[in-house]
Amino acid sequence: MNIVTGSSTALITPFKNGKLDEQSYAALIKRQINNGMDAVCPVGTTGESATLSSDEDRRCMEIAVEVCKGTTTKVLAGAGSNSTSEAILAAKNAQECGVDAIFSVAPYYVKPSQEGLYQHYKAIAESVPDLPFMLYNVPGRTVVDIEAETVIRLFDDIPNIYGIKEATGSLERAIALLSARPDLKVFSGDDAIDFPMLANGGAGITSVTSNLMPDLKSEIVRLTLAGNFTAAKAINDKLYPLNSVMFCEANPIPIKAAMYIAGLIDTLEYRLPLLAPSVENMKKIEQVMKNYEIKGL
């Protein structure tokens, strides 16, 4: 099984006149490839997946696969739902598009038990047995935590479940997982703690900030996995103010605004119920961005 590890970007989804801006999307993915990212992640939280139609969802994955073809950059696509049957359809759709692997967010809103989570993920993963599969734990969004014991059970029982994107913000959780199962591929899902997660045995990151700074984010991963902790920490520290301001409002509001400010997307459009940042927060984002050199398309 060809698993995906290393640096990955939770891609924004650019819109123009209310529709998917396919040309800009392809250009953004090319920029990720050119700046050393190991993988791109279409249709995740940062990609406003909750507001995309099934056709748009599929098209985003198709574009990512098309652009990454012939490069070393992989496609790690989002394929989750609070309905197990819908998540199975999403996983099969992703497989048909030719993605390299998928990550599936914990079922939000319904608040399942740990056994419910186990059965949910077992059903999805077994529906695409040849597709590498990552769990995605983000309790701040889903109001349910995939506990360490459940993750370990899924990793032990289901052959294609190889890792987890951990967005609890907890280093202790990462250590709990890796001390029990060193072969589990744990990704940092919180930009501010990418370096310490990797230094404690993490296998990669899925970053919001790397939409804007793929060069530095990919470098943190390369340096840390090579054992150059001093240099990696220095970059992580340098990026802290930017990582922080990217969450001054709900993701992906700030990162999309930052991409617009940087001239990386032509229009600043969101899907309701998301709106542009407040005037005050827009100024904060602009001010912080002045401290960084942002590479163009």
Side-chain angles (χ1 to χ4, degrees):
M1 187 169 61
N2 243 343
I3 63 172
V4 177
T5 57
S7 56
S8 67
T9 297
L11 295 168
I12 66 162
T13 302
F15 301 118
K16 187 173 284 186
N17 299 319
K19 296 180 180 179
L20 171 64
D21 184 348
E22 295 191 9
Q23 186 175 352
S24 292
Y25 196 57
L28 292 176
I29 294 170
K30 287 176 185 174
R31 179 174 175 265
Q32 294 292 316
I33 295 167
N34 292 339
N35 283 280
M37 295 302 292
D38 295 310
V40 292
C41 304
V43 297
T45 305
T46 308
E48 297 175 73
S49 58
T51 65
L52 297 178
S53 70
S54 57
D55 286 344
E56 289 171 328
D57 193 90
R58 186 180 184 92
R59 188 64 190 130
C60 284
M61 289 189 285
E62 287 174 345
I63 292 169
V65 170
E66 288 165 9
V67 176
C68 291
K69 187 177 181 179
T71 76
T72 58
T73 301
K74 305 299 184 183
V75 179
L76 172 60
S81 172
N82 59 350
S83 160
T84 304
S85 60
E86 289 293 327
I88 288 171
L89 289 174
K92 289 181 175 179
N93 188 40
Q95 187 174 45
E96 287 172 6
C97 289
V99 307
D100 297 287
I102 59 173
F103 63 95
S104 189
V105 70
Y108 42 88
Y109 186 73
V110 292
K111 299 178 75 172
S113 66
Q114 292 301 304
E115 182 62 26
L117 286 169
Y118 176 85
Q119 296 297 338
H120 172 80
Y121 280 119
K122 181 175 184 287
I124 305 167
E126 288 182 344
S127 76
V128 285
D130 299 322
L131 189 63
F133 191 105
M134 290 192 76
L135 311 172
Y136 175 17
N137 193 30
V138 57
R141 289 267 184 179
T142 64
V143 203
V144 62
D145 183 11
I146 315 171
E147 294 176 3
E149 293 80 4
T150 304
V151 175
I152 291 164
R153 187 181 168 203
L154 284 163
F155 178 66
D156 288 348
D157 293 353
I158 317 298
N160 57 323
I161 294 180
Y162 76 93
I164 182 168
K165 176 185 173 183
E166 258 300 332
T168 55
S170 170
L171 286 175
E172 183 178 354
R173 175 61 61 85
I175 294 167
L177 291 169
L178 288 165
S179 62
R181 295 294 183 274
D183 292 336
L184 178 71
K185 306 305 181 186
V186 177
F187 276 35
S188 169
D190 291 280
D191 278 287
I193 59 171
D194 283 350
F195 167 70
M197 284 276 279
L198 291 164
N200 278 283
I205 67 171
T206 300
S207 169
V208 173
T209 303
S210 60
N211 278 282
L212 195 65
M213 306 292 292
D215 52 334
L216 294 187
K217 278 293 185 175
S218 60
E219 190 68 4
I220 288 173
V221 177
R222 278 195 297 272
L223 289 167
T224 309
L225 296 183
N228 192 342
F229 289 0
T230 301
K233 183 180 183 299
I235 299 174
N236 201 74
D237 290 349
K238 176 182 178 180
L239 286 173
Y240 179 73
L242 186 62
N243 290 331
S244 182
V245 82
M246 287 301 101
F247 293 90
C248 64
E249 293 192 30
N251 179 46
I253 292 172
I255 185 59
K256 210 167 192 183
M259 298 289 278
Y260 177 70
I261 293 165
L264 295 169
I265 53 175
D266 296 332
T267 58
L268 183 56
E269 291 188 31
Y270 303 84
R271 290 270 172 87
L272 283 171
L274 295 185
L275 297 171
S278 68
V279 173
E280 179 185 356
N281 281 333
M282 197 71 157
K283 288 178 180 176
K284 281 183 186 177
I285 295 165
E286 289 175 343
Q287 192 61 37
V288 171
M289 286 174 63
K290 290 177 182 177
N291 298 315
Y292 301 91
E293 180 185 348
I294 298 165
K295 294 190 175 181
L297 294 169

